[in-house]
Amino acid sequence: QVQLVESGGGLVQSGGSLTLSCEASGFTSDKWAMSWFRQVPGKKREGVACISRTDGSTFYSDSVKGRFTISRDNSKLSVSLRMNSLQPDDTATYYCAAEWLECGGAWSTGGEVEHWGQGTQVTVSS
């Protein structure tokens, strides 16, 4: 059974940092691009960051560029998201996701995602 399990969420003050982790299991191949999305109740899901499998290219939404860093460990098929300079607007449930091989041109829509994690809550207090 394929699973993506996120960890590392929590409560942090504005300006603080958190690192989210996602461990994959049950995959028969490691050829997956990994990404992070976030969603606030009543709002549209937002693609935050994506990292390709082929060459490790990374992509970020404008709202987090320069503050968040996505990285992966291919030996374990895991992905992390280092979040710095957190702001209250970053408060959301963060989801790990996997799409085949590369971050597509429309990666931030999540349309090519085949597997989703259950999510981890990040709350940034002002």
Side-chain angles (χ1 to χ4, degrees):
Q1 181 182 357
V2 169
Q3 273 192 313
L4 296 172
V5 179
E6 303 95 336
S7 62
L11 174 64
V12 64
Q13 288 189 331
S14 180
S17 299
L18 276 178
T19 298
L20 304 182
S21 298
C22 173
E23 298 280 343
S25 62
F27 287 77
T28 58
S29 170
D30 63 356
K31 292 179 172 54
W32 293 89
M34 305 295 290
S35 53
W36 289 94
F37 289 77
R38 66 187 182 186
Q39 190 166 25
V40 176
K43 292 192 175 181
K44 190 178 178 182
R45 180 182 59 203
E46 176 187 13
V48 174
C50 188
I51 183 165
S52 290
R53 175 61 180 92
T54 50
D55 61 2
S57 296
T58 56
F59 304 86
Y60 298 92
S61 67
D62 288 342
S63 60
V64 307
K65 200 172 294 182
R67 299 188 297 124
F68 290 12
T69 303
I70 189 170
S71 59
R72 64 184 294 152
D73 182 344
N74 292 331
S75 67
K76 299 188 296 182
L77 193 52
S78 65
V79 63
S80 296
L81 185 70
R82 175 67 177 176
M83 306 184 293
N84 295 327
S85 303
L86 283 162
Q87 301 299 316
D89 283 349
D90 295 315
T91 296
T93 300
Y94 284 71
Y95 298 90
C96 177
E99 66 181 87
W100 183 245
L101 206 58
E102 295 191 12
C103 305
W107 69 267
S108 62
T109 67
E112 299 297 323
V113 169
E114 297 186 38
H115 303 287
W116 293 93
Q118 293 298 307
T120 185
Q121 178 67 34
V122 172
T123 302
V124 184
S125 63
S126 58

